[in-house]
Amino acid sequence: MSNRDLSSKLFNAAKEVIPGGVNSPVRAFKSVDGDPFFVQRARGCRIWDVDGNEMIDYVGTWGPAILGHAPSAVIDAVSHAAKEGISFGIPNRHEVELARMVRDYVPSVEKVRMVSSGTEATMTAIRLARGYTGRDKIIKFEGCYHGHVDSLLVAAGSGALTLGQPDSAGVPKDLANLTITLPFNRPEAVEEAFRLEGESIAAIILEPIPANAGLIFPKEGYLQFLREITEKYGAVLIFDEVMTGFRLARGGVQELVGITPDLTAMGKVIGGGLPVGAFGGKAEIMDYLAPDGPVYQAGTLSGNPLAMVAGITQLKEMERHNGWARLDEIGQQFEDGVRSVLKETGRDLTLNRIGSMFCLFFTEEEIINVEDVKKSDFAAFRKFFWAALDRGVYFAPSQYEAGFISLAHGPDEMEKTAEVTADALKVALS
Ligand code: HOZ
């Protein structure tokens, strides 16, 4: 077992001053029954902890590190921009450049506003949908996670699900009652909700490929069905592409499947590792925002010059390296390696992968929604996680989280990952 003494000391010190010792719950490693490691530095696809352990990283700061950690182009651009000023609270030209890139990349976006996190993006998209339609109710899907917005912390995924708190304390009942939660991939449930309450439903919000309860694929025709039913009832269709946007394709899932939502929430990759979120969509809806319209939203750090420059540079680097096609290739190599190892175990565990995102479920069932994910063997997952970490591969510390591959993951890492996966599976399944 790796020595993590210094990490343990830091975690104990952290717990005295930070609730649970972490600034975001999944990082506490509770679902794998252990203590987190503390990072010393990260470069490319590798992370080193404070005890000197080196790991191949498949979390990638939960999505943003699509080029790998600390890419020199982004570091140089941010350092240069910092010399001009770190925050202005007044318009700067980088905001316009990134907004134009987003509009050009993402099929549904005619106008976009920058914020500082994915949570802010989904929160405001919901407010905007309510302001635009004059309706209060929203539909979300069980296991989908859209940040820690009150209305959306109902049957939520990610850390909320990991910690068994899909319905958070502190969310007023009256607000939660405005959220209709339905199982993913079940069109009949959506039809029924609209039949009963169609006149009051402002929006459907979903991750078009849910990635906060593992990684779940929409059934053939499901996203098209959601597009049609929202149009029929005059509700707003919101894609939360915070995880998938600028990752699975330049223009996200909507580009891949050819379905145009009304609004899209974005984040992660678009900030190049700095705190950025964005939401955008039809100009007709976006123009409801203040200062032109009646829906209020604001932020001191929105459009922060360093964050804008980091995002612009990261996206340009992706273009320069033909990044999206390359990631599909690397993702395929990863999948081939893991599948050949799985074959040797004689167990047909479900591996879902698309482009540079993946999840290995410790169940042989097909996964179509969070109820299927709950059937996984969580004890086996835990053993697998620690066995892989001790052998130098860091996968996400929860069965409910997806993994991320970056452009920095090369053939050597793929080979080592396959070897480590084979060993870790032996430990987990024995
Ligand atoms: N909600 C993120 C995973 N889906 C975790 C964020 C973090 O802990 O940094």
Side-chain angles (χ1 to χ4, degrees):
M1 204 183 117
S2 309
N3 169 19
R4 297 192 190 90
D5 290 350
L6 193 47
S7 278
S8 293
K9 274 190 196 137
L10 282 168
F11 192 45
N12 287 335
K15 281 191 277 194
E16 285 173 24
V17 282
I18 302 173
V22 288
N23 283 312
S24 190
V26 192
R27 300 179 196 177
F29 280 27
K30 281 208 168 187
S31 81
V32 286
D33 284 343
D35 289 353
F37 62 83
F38 276 59
V39 177
Q40 180 67 36
R41 67 191 175 94
R43 187 122 213 150
C45 66
R46 287 170 195 267
I47 275 194
W48 289 264
D49 70 13
V50 288
D51 290 286
N53 300 303
E54 178 179 324
M55 289 150 278
I56 300 172
D57 176 23
Y58 285 101
V59 177
T61 185
W62 301 99
I66 198 162
L67 302 170
H69 291 284
S72 48
V74 175
I75 293 175
D76 291 349
V78 169
S79 314
H80 182 77
K83 292 189 184 118
E84 310 258 289
I86 288 172
S87 174
F88 305 131
I90 196 104
N92 67 78
R93 67 194 160 87
H94 308 301
E95 295 168 273
V96 188
E97 185 175 357
L98 188 54
R100 281 206 181 122
M101 288 174 88
V102 172
R103 183 199 56 191
D104 293 348
Y105 282 17
V106 185
S108 65
V109 172
E110 293 168 2
K111 287 193 176 176
V112 57
R113 182 162 281 180
M114 300 296 164
V115 288
S116 300
S117 70
T119 291
E120 273 186 77
T122 54
M123 176 182 77
T124 320
I126 294 285
R127 186 181 307 142
L128 194 48
R130 285 175 165 153
Y132 175 72
T133 57
R135 304 172 181 175
D136 288 341
K137 295 209 168 166
I138 54 167
I139 290 180
K140 83 171 280 290
F141 296 101
E142 292 157 3
C144 277
Y145 177 74
H146 307 287
H148 57 99
V149 182
D150 278 357
S151 298
L152 299 172
L153 275 180
V154 186
S158 190
L161 190 56
T162 297
L163 301 178
Q165 299 168 338
D167 304 299
S168 172
V171 174
K173 256 206 181 75
D174 288 348
L175 201 53
N177 286 341
L178 297 176
T179 304
I180 302 166
T181 53
L182 302 176
F184 190 73
N185 266 333
R186 300 266 186 236
E188 62 285 0
V190 179
E191 266 163 2
E192 174 78 350
F194 272 102
R195 200 176 53 74
L196 295 173
E197 311 198 60
E199 299 301 302
S200 333
I201 296 171
I204 293 185
I205 185 167
L206 75 151
E207 302 174 75
I209 296 184
N212 282 288
L215 186 67
I216 301 174
F217 298 134
K219 282 186 173 168
E220 186 75 36
Y222 184 64
L223 297 176
Q224 181 62 34
F225 157 77
L226 295 176
R227 177 63 286 184
E228 283 164 14
I229 199 160
T230 43
E231 258 163 20
K232 180 171 164 199
Y233 284 91
V236 174
L237 181 63
I238 306 171
F239 274 11
D240 176 348
E241 295 230 45
V242 170
M243 288 175 114
T244 52
F246 312 98
R247 174 170 279 278
L248 295 186
R250 252 177 48 139
V253 175
Q254 58 197 268
E255 178 191 315
L256 287 179
V257 298
I259 289 167
T260 309
D262 300 303
L263 292 177
T264 301
M266 296 160 272
K268 303 213 188 249
V269 168
I270 197 188
L274 270 71
V276 175
F279 60 97
K282 278 191 182 146
E284 183 192 325
I285 304 179
M286 292 299 288
D287 286 341
Y288 265 67
L289 277 179
D292 289 348
V295 176
Y296 198 73
Q297 178 275 331
T300 299
L301 295 175
S302 297
N304 171 271
L306 303 194
M308 297 297 99
V309 164
I312 292 164
T313 310
Q314 171 137 289
L315 293 175
K316 284 186 177 165
E317 285 295 287
M318 283 294 287
E319 295 277 6
R320 202 165 72 80
H321 295 287
N322 198 13
W324 292 282
R326 273 291 298 137
L327 280 176
D328 283 344
E329 288 165 16
I330 302 173
Q332 187 62 57
Q333 286 159 12
F334 171 89
E335 179 175 343
D336 292 346
V338 175
R339 284 212 189 277
S340 69
V341 159
L342 277 175
K343 221 179 202 168
E344 283 163 29
T345 65
R347 293 278 305 276
D348 195 17
L349 298 185
T350 302
L351 173 66
N352 280 356
R353 197 248 343 149
I354 175 166
S356 56
M357 295 175 77
F358 66 89
C359 185
L360 175 63
F361 295 97
F362 281 77
T363 170
E364 300 183 20
E365 304 282 321
E366 187 200 7
I367 303 282
I368 64 157
N369 56 42
V370 69
E371 288 311 311
D372 301 319
V373 183
K374 286 181 185 165
K375 292 178 201 147
S376 300
D377 181 344
F378 288 81
F381 172 81
R382 269 193 287 280
K383 285 193 210 161
F384 174 79
F385 170 82
W386 287 110
L389 194 68
D390 283 336
R391 289 162 179 76
V393 175
Y394 174 43
F395 291 118
S398 164
Q399 177 71 95
Y400 292 119
E401 298 288 350
F404 298 93
I405 299 166
S406 76
L407 282 186
H409 288 83
D412 291 351
E413 285 83 18
M414 291 297 140
E415 201 179 310
K416 172 154 184 189
T417 302
E419 279 166 26
V420 167
T421 302
D423 289 348
L425 280 172
K426 271 183 208 139
V427 174
L429 302 174
S430 61

